[in-house]
Amino acid sequence: RRPTTSSLASLLGLRSLALGRLGGLEQLREATLRHGPLLASLCSCALLLGVGWVQKGRQQRFGKGDAQTKHANIPPALAGAAAIDGEHLGVDAVTKVQAALTDGLLQNPHTPSVEELEAGLDTAIRGASLLGGGGSCGSAPLGLDEADAAKRLADFGQNLLTPPERESAWVLLLKQIFGGLFNIMLWICVVCELVLAVALDGDDLVTPVVLSVVIVASATLQWWTEQQAEGMMNALQEMQAASAVAVQRRRHGGERVELQIPAEELVPGDVLLLEAGQRVPADVRILACTDGSLVENSALTGESVAEPRTAEAAPAGLALVEARNVAFSGTTVLQGRMLGVVFGTGDSTLLGQIATKIRTSRTRSSLEIQIEHFVHLIAFVAVGIGLLSLVANIASPRKRGIAEVLENAATAFFAQVPEGLLPTVTVCLMIASRQMAQRHVLVRKIDAVETLGCIGVLCSDKTGTLTSGKMTATDLAVPCPVGSGPEGIEAASSEESLLETPVARDWSQEVFGHDAILALARCGVLNTGARPDSAAPGGAVGSPTEVAIFAGCRQVLGSDLTEATRCGLPQVFEIPFNSSAKWMLTVHAMTGAAEECGREAPHFVAVLKGAPERVLAFCAVEPAVRARAEASLARLMAQGKRVLCLAEKPLPGLGPNFRFEGSGVDDVNFPFEGFALRGLVALEDPPKEGVADAVTRIARAGARTVMVTGDHPATAEAIARRIGVVSPSPCSPGGDAEAAAAAEFRVVTGAQIEVHAPPGGDESDLGDDAKAAAEAALFWQRCVEHTRVFARVSPMHKRSIVRAYQHIGGHVVAMTGDGVNDAPALKEAEVGIAMGIRGTEVAKEAADIVLLDDDLQSVVAGMEQGRLCSENLRKSIMYTLCSKLPQVLPTFAELAGVPSALTAAQVLLIDIGTDIWTAIAFAWQPAEGELMRRAPRHPSRDRMVDGQVLLYSYGYVGLIQSIACWVVFFGVMPRMYELFRADKHPSEYSIADSEADYAGMTSYYWTLVLGQVGAALAATTTRQSALLRWAPNRWLTACIVLELLLALLVITWSPLQNIFKTRCLSAPQLLAGLLGFVLIG
């Protein structure tokens, strides 16, 4: 930006030279005294430009460092939480109060005993329990005293995340209008025009007014679009607000009361009861819970499988996020009931600390980089042309007054500035944003769409983004006689494996092994921890695994047979699932069995479900059947699926009133062996519909999809292979070194990243140890080149991965995700994309784009829109620059005594009256060819405006237009060559000479207008003939028609003739003006 400031200062400084030559020093002094405020405004604009340059330099040198060291000296709230990302997370004054209150006992809140926890939190939690199997709370005093709770609420504040600082909408509007290098450049043009018009007695006030309207209108449109997006974001967040929670507190005298309070009023020390289906409102240490309690931590960890919870204290040294006795804010209770004590609220929660960590400056968009480069380029060209014009006017043998000299120089300067760029950019982005909105995509920052078209790497979370986020039963495997099944069976029963069949098929027709499949399905709907609910997805509520098995088996049996099975075999006894036994057992009464089959028929049947190796140990199966079951198990697990085994056993000899007892194999009072194997059920979080196609289209567009997940490596790789992220034909590790490296680095885990993690998480700084830095650099280079799956990664690992692709790979990166663990990477990437349905509030706040329907295919559509937007901007700029050379040549031609061919008013008429609207119309230009079959454009290497664009606009079309204009000017118009040979000053012209000169200027103007029509049509395509795209889009066609009508009006209507010094042309002269159009076409 400095060249612009210094050159403008030079332009102003050279006025004294011009005035000295023309004897106008006194005139300048008077103008300065009379119009001091206007000159001060001009100097202020120049100063603003310089300040902007300095501020930008400071941001580039220190911006990132400042953001990273903002909380460097503040201790972490929880050491366990800090262990997740390997960095100290910032805390505020409220967290310091909490640290003082707990006196250091909660540095690891999952490890202290209940007594230590009670002393640290100063609350009553001893004896906390859930009475009975139903989960009712006891009557012992629990929780905080009500007065103490009110005091803590005042000290700690509400249980809410501190919202990011938001500027006033009006401040944002002012920034849109007056901020940015290009806007500053345009406002300087406006101020200079006002100075010329007012201070130096000019007569053109229309140009600064029109230009001001264009700037304000463009900025207001962009501001309005982004304000609408923010309004939708606020509505989404209000819809996801937490509900009231049940809290145990004490009144005076120790009386225990249960209160329903809003979640935002929770404070450390509160004891609350959490039910299945409830979202955890704060970080909670579990004091008691029912057996088999499960929580979904995918928002924090990326794990698609629900995690069990227990009340037992965790061992020392275990990371907080891995503790089973803690429920984190933002997660969901899927099964069971829990009684817990709050130890973290608001920003002190793990979720809050991650949210605080990502409050840094956003990565600049590719459009900002492109506009900045273009403005620097145009500023250099415009200032150079302006200075040359100033010198030319001063050195010209035709003496001019100061106002005329400065007006001509300023006109030459302004003629090189594409005033239509700003509205064109705004309209392009608004069109893209509106089209994305029709696909249920919320674009929070409209320039993110253009950046999306430049991405070379799409880093995507797995759970909820690439997959549905819901466990589903996919396959059944049953033992049956060896044979070949009919069509529809995926793998027929053979000597190697069980009979395997997909769940998703038509079960109305009987298939091979139908009886065995029905027997397995009956076991699945009987032995279940899910509670049938016709209104719930899958027809049941409960843990994802239980609901998935029930829904899959219900699909096989049908609704009627499922209901009949459950009614005919009611459950009378259950041993719940636990993590040590890894199985659950249910016993069912066989109603009506004695009447149908005699007194010896069994009255009960036991159904066992659990881990295959545990269930098979209780089954009486032949070795061959066991081998086939193990083969099927290995095959299904190799696909990344979770597999459970089901078996059943009639219990003969037990009377109808038998009372079942026991909690395990060792203490049950009935036989626990000799079960009959019924089969295997395979489960997975399946890929979303259309994801594989989206990944293929992204690859076809020259970009790469990389899976970044907290899930298990085997599961992640299996899903990645199915959707095409990993090639189905992996490289052999036994090949050359490159193939071996590709195989080794195809899947990288968080443990490997931790070993090679750079200090501070910045991949551009790999430390001082040369050897370690070299190893880390090689590791990250291999990751960037070969890795397709990053598994078991933490939130800060995800951010490091994004940075590696940016700084080491040199890619423009987009990140998709839905959880809190994705938020740091969403903020770090050039484009952050959050899921609207499953996405957490933190993830949406960190994102630039929100997919309201969670459909990854919308990202592909966004890439195409971004590429189209970039292409149309490039075409618009190409078109606008085409007229710059023929506009400025008449100024320099006057040095040789050539009659004036184009006035300043005519130049501004072309720029403001015609070119600006046609340039905007390029925003509606449809794509030519296959945009998604081209390599992505990198904003730093493949400039939107590069040497090719300048050569095309100035050296090809601009040169053709200039030749055509001069040919018509001298060859078609009478007397122009005579005036040139006569070498007269305009003050010496006779009336006839002036009329001839006006006619010559009119022909030059008309030829240039028609040449610009040809340039507009030529710029609509870079790969096809312009003749094949005669009417590219209706807006561009309309603008061309209006441009021609305006030009004819200026030529023929006397009021405009007097303003712009034009005259009527004859029909042959009008036709001659087509020369430029024909040559360009």
Side-chain angles (χ1 to χ4, degrees):
R1 301 178 185 179
R2 287 175 178 169
T4 304
T5 307
S6 60
S7 299
L8 284 174
S10 301
L11 180 60
L12 294 173
L14 283 175
R15 289 182 179 178
S16 60
L17 174 61
L19 292 171
R21 177 163 183 168
L22 298 172
L25 285 173
E26 290 300 325
Q27 185 180 355
L28 177 63
R29 290 194 191 98
E30 292 178 5
T32 303
L33 292 174
R34 284 189 294 126
H35 305 287
L38 283 175
L39 293 176
S41 300
L42 181 62
C43 294
S44 298
C45 287
L47 179 61
L48 181 61
L49 190 63
V51 170
W53 173 276
V54 173
Q55 182 65 23
K56 174 183 176 298
R58 291 188 60 191
Q59 289 177 352
Q60 289 179 337
R61 292 192 299 272
F62 308 114
K64 183 175 290 187
D66 290 345
Q68 291 175 348
T69 59
K70 182 177 180 181
H71 303 291
N73 297 322
I74 301 177
L78 300 170
I84 295 176
D85 57 17
E87 301 181 43
H88 289 308
L89 298 175
V91 296
D92 55 17
V94 172
T95 310
K96 293 180 180 178
V97 173
Q98 179 177 355
L101 175 67
T102 58
D103 196 23
L105 290 177
L106 291 184
Q107 290 301 304
N108 292 287
H110 53 304
T111 58
S113 65
V114 172
E115 291 76 14
E116 293 172 324
L117 204 62
E118 182 178 68
L121 287 172
D122 192 20
T123 186
I125 57 175
R126 295 193 193 189
S129 65
L130 295 170
L131 297 180
S136 303
C137 294
S139 58
L142 279 181
L144 296 171
D145 181 86
E146 287 186 308
D148 187 19
K151 185 177 182 302
R152 294 192 187 191
L153 181 61
D155 290 339
F156 288 90
Q158 289 191 320
N159 177 33
L160 296 171
L161 298 181
T162 301
E165 295 183 2
R166 297 184 185 274
E167 292 182 297
S168 164
W170 302 112
V171 173
L172 292 174
L173 177 59
L174 291 176
K175 283 188 174 182
Q176 289 281 10
I177 294 174
F178 298 103
L181 180 58
F182 193 72
N183 275 14
I184 292 173
M185 187 175 179
L186 292 178
W187 281 119
I188 289 177
C189 291
V190 171
V191 173
C192 290
E193 279 285 353
L194 287 174
V195 170
L196 290 173
V198 179
L200 299 176
D201 300 325
D203 57 358
D204 181 21
L205 285 172
V206 176
T207 298
V209 171
V210 172
L211 190 53
S212 299
V213 170
V214 169
I215 299 171
V216 173
S218 300
T220 303
L221 281 174
Q222 183 168 347
W223 169 81
W224 179 71
T225 302
E226 293 183 356
Q227 287 300 305
Q228 280 192 320
E230 283 303 308
M232 293 181 66
M233 272 295 299
N234 293 334
L236 283 174
Q237 292 172 357
E238 289 174 4
M239 289 172 59
Q240 294 186 342
S243 58
V245 291
V247 175
Q248 311 294 319
R249 285 183 178 171
R250 292 175 287 132
R251 287 180 178 163
H252 296 296
E255 179 188 358
R256 173 177 173 178
V257 293
E258 179 173 322
L259 304 174
Q260 292 286 334
I261 67 171
E264 57 265 23
E265 294 183 9
L266 288 173
V267 294
D270 264 329
V271 175
L272 71 159
L273 180 66
L274 297 174
E275 306 275 358
Q278 189 173 358
R279 195 173 75 172
V280 181
D283 282 357
V284 176
R285 165 72 182 270
I286 299 173
L287 303 174
C289 63
T290 57
D291 292 336
S293 294
L294 297 173
V295 296
E296 183 185 35
N297 272 0
S298 60
L300 285 174
T301 65
E303 285 275 11
S304 58
V305 178
E307 297 182 7
R309 282 298 178 260
T310 178
E312 298 177 2
L318 184 69
L320 177 64
V321 74
E322 298 177 3
R324 296 295 178 89
N325 62 349
V326 173
F328 296 103
S329 174
T331 61
T332 303
V333 180
L334 295 177
Q335 181 174 297
R337 289 161 62 98
M338 304 177 190
L339 192 66
V341 58
V342 175
F343 65 84
T345 60
D347 290 341
S348 300
T349 62
L350 179 59
L351 183 151
Q353 294 178 64
I354 295 176
T356 301
K357 188 67 179 178
I358 64 174
R359 289 173 193 160
T360 58
S361 58
R362 183 171 297 280
T363 303
R364 289 199 308 163
S365 69
S366 66
L367 188 60
E368 290 176 306
I369 298 173
Q370 294 298 305
I371 295 299
E372 180 181 334
H373 170 262
F374 175 64
V375 170
H376 286 165
L377 188 64
I378 289 301
F380 177 78
V381 173
V383 171
I385 294 294
L387 288 175
L388 287 175
S389 176
L390 181 66
V391 173
N393 278 271
I394 294 173
S396 173
R398 300 177 179 179
K399 305 305 178 184
R400 294 178 172 84
I402 174 177
E404 189 178 2
V405 169
L406 293 178
E407 183 180 1
N408 289 343
T411 301
F413 171 80
F414 302 148
Q416 304 306 308
V417 178
E419 298 87 351
L421 176 63
L422 193 62
T424 302
V425 170
T426 303
V427 173
C428 275
L429 295 177
M430 286 188 63
I431 292 172
S433 177
R434 180 172 297 180
Q435 291 181 348
M436 295 301 291
Q438 294 174 355
R439 295 184 60 92
H440 306 288
V441 177
L442 174 62
V443 181
R444 300 186 62 203
K445 298 292 290 182
I446 62 175
D447 58 353
V449 177
E450 193 277 336
T451 306
L452 195 57
C454 300
I455 66 167
V457 174
L458 174 65
C459 294
S460 178
D461 178 48
K462 179 184 77 71
T463 306
T465 304
L466 298 176
T467 64
S468 65
K470 182 177 68 175
M471 293 297 291
T472 305
T474 59
D475 299 274
L476 304 177
V478 296
C480 63
V482 176
S484 58
E487 184 178 357
I489 298 296
E490 180 181 320
S493 179
S494 67
E495 296 182 358
E496 288 77 26
S497 63
L498 302 180
L499 174 65
E500 299 172 19
T501 181
V503 174
R505 55 160 299 152
D506 182 10
W507 292 103
S508 61
Q509 300 179 357
E510 187 170 327
V511 297
F512 181 77
H514 190 70
D515 293 340
I517 294 172
L518 290 181
L520 173 62
R522 279 194 296 267
C523 290
V525 298
L526 292 173
N527 184 310
T528 180
R531 178 170 54 84
D533 184 349
S534 58
V541 293
S543 75
T545 298
E546 295 294 330
V547 171
I549 294 176
F550 180 84
C553 294
R554 184 173 182 267
Q555 183 177 347
V556 174
L557 296 176
S559 300
D560 295 340
L561 186 54
T562 297
E563 186 66 22
T565 301
R566 290 180 60 84
C567 291
L569 295 168
Q571 179 179 317
V572 295
F573 179 72
E574 176 185 9
I575 299 179
F577 178 89
N578 65 75
S579 57
S580 58
K582 295 186 178 180
W583 52 259
M584 71 174 290
L585 177 133
T586 56
V587 177
H588 303 266
M590 302 177 67
T591 58
E595 290 79 0
E596 294 179 10
C597 303
R599 293 184 179 180
E600 299 301 323
H603 291 276
F604 303 99
V605 60
V607 182
L608 184 65
K609 178 181 69 181
E613 66 276 10
R614 299 296 180 91
V615 174
L616 285 173
F618 300 115
C619 292
V621 294
E622 299 178 358
V625 176
R626 180 183 294 271
R628 288 161 54 197
E630 291 174 348
S632 289
L633 174 63
R635 169 180 164 169
L636 293 170
M637 292 186 67
Q639 300 174 16
K641 299 178 180 180
R642 185 185 182 194
V643 182
L644 294 180
C645 183
L646 287 96
E648 70 174 336
K649 172 185 174 63
L651 300 176
L654 303 180
N657 298 321
F658 183 81
R659 182 180 179 85
F660 291 89
E661 296 178 352
S663 60
V665 178
D666 299 329
D667 62 352
V668 294
N669 61 346
F670 55 91
F672 208 99
E673 70 279 332
F675 280 81
L677 174 65
R678 290 307 180 207
L680 307 174
V681 178
L683 307 169
E684 71 171 352
D685 178 10
K688 286 183 180 177
E689 184 179 355
V691 164
D693 179 61
V695 171
T696 301
R697 293 176 63 190
I698 290 171
R700 192 182 299 142
R704 181 193 317 169
T705 304
V706 177
M707 181 185 291
V708 184
T709 178
D711 214 339
H712 191 277
T715 303
E717 183 178 6
I719 294 293
R721 289 188 183 279
R722 289 177 57 187
I723 63 178
V725 171
V726 173
S727 171
S729 302
C731 301
S732 173
D736 56 19
E738 193 67 20
E744 179 185 356
F745 282 85
R746 184 177 298 113
V747 179
V748 171
T749 64
Q752 294 172 276
I753 294 176
E754 196 66 38
V755 172
H756 299 91
D762 188 355
E763 285 62 36
S764 61
D765 179 13
L766 297 175
D768 299 328
D769 187 338
K771 182 178 179 181
E775 291 178 357
L778 180 61
F779 170 81
W780 285 108
Q781 287 171 0
R782 293 282 179 84
C783 287
V784 167
E785 185 175 356
H786 300 297
T787 303
R788 295 296 179 268
V789 176
F790 292 92
R792 289 294 191 203
V793 294
S794 72
M796 295 304 114
H797 289 158
K798 292 188 176 187
R799 187 175 68 172
S800 293
I801 291 165
V802 170
R803 286 180 174 176
Y805 279 108
Q806 291 171 329
H807 301 310
I808 297 177
H811 296 289
V812 177
V813 181
M815 175 73 196
T816 67
D818 63 340
V820 177
N821 60 327
D822 302 314
L826 289 171
K827 193 67 176 286
E828 190 69 30
E830 280 85 355
V831 184
I833 306 169
M835 302 295 112
I837 299 175
R838 284 181 51 90
T840 61
E841 181 179 337
V842 175
K844 294 173 187 174
E845 189 63 46
D848 304 291
I849 294 174
V850 179
L851 305 182
L852 300 179
D853 58 358
D854 290 8
D855 188 355
L856 191 67
Q857 295 186 84
S858 299
V859 176
V860 182
M863 290 176 63
E864 188 168 9
Q865 283 294 327
R867 293 186 177 193
L868 177 60
C869 179
S870 177
E871 184 177 79
N872 286 344
L873 286 175
R874 181 185 175 97
K875 291 176 179 178
S876 175
I877 293 171
M878 286 172 55
Y879 159 77
T880 304
L881 296 180
C882 285
S883 64
K884 303 309 178 186
L885 182 63
Q887 283 179 357
V888 78
L889 282 180
T891 301
F892 298 103
E894 292 186 18
L895 288 173
V898 175
S900 179
L902 204 63
T903 65
Q906 290 170 354
V907 169
L908 294 173
L909 175 63
I910 294 172
D911 285 347
I912 303 297
T914 58
D915 281 2
I916 188 172
W917 312 113
T918 307
I920 294 173
F922 274 92
W924 283 274
Q925 185 65 18
E928 54 169 319
E930 291 286 342
L931 285 176
M932 295 300 287
R933 290 186 179 273
R934 307 174 196 166
R937 180 184 58 82
H938 195 284
S940 298
R941 295 191 295 266
D942 307 315
R943 302 289 190 182
M944 187 183 296
V945 180
D946 53 13
Q948 287 186 337
V949 171
L950 296 179
L951 182 62
Y952 173 85
S953 298
Y954 284 93
Y956 175 58
V957 177
L959 185 60
I960 292 176
Q961 287 189 2
S962 299
I963 293 173
C965 289
W966 288 118
V967 167
V968 174
F969 183 78
F970 282 112
V972 176
M973 302 308 296
R975 299 198 59 201
M976 296 313 302
Y977 188 69
E978 294 178 10
L979 288 176
F980 170 63
R981 292 293 301 272
D983 195 21
K984 291 182 180 180
H985 190 273
S987 61
E988 301 172 354
Y989 284 173
S990 64
I991 295 178
D993 291 338
S994 296
E995 289 297 318
D997 190 18
Y998 292 162
M1001 287 190 289
T1002 304
S1003 68
Y1004 194 101
Y1005 163 77
W1006 173 248
T1007 305
L1008 181 53
V1009 168
L1010 292 179
Q1012 277 297 90
V1013 172
L1017 295 176
T1020 58
T1021 174
T1022 58
R1023 293 172 174 81
Q1024 302 175 2
S1025 170
L1027 297 178
L1028 299 178
R1029 298 171 64 88
W1030 170 247
N1033 73 74
R1034 59 181 181 178
W1035 294 106
L1036 183 56
T1037 303
C1039 285
I1040 289 174
V1041 172
L1042 292 176
E1043 180 178 344
L1044 294 174
L1045 292 176
L1046 177 61
L1048 290 173
L1049 189 65
V1050 169
I1051 292 173
T1052 58
W1053 193 33
S1054 58
L1056 292 180
Q1057 286 179 341
N1058 297 330
I1059 295 174
F1060 295 104
K1061 299 180 180 179
T1062 59
R1063 293 297 181 265
C1064 292
L1065 299 178
S1066 65
Q1069 291 169 345
L1070 290 173
L1071 291 176
L1074 290 170
L1075 179 62
F1077 176 83
V1078 173
L1079 292 176
I1080 294 172

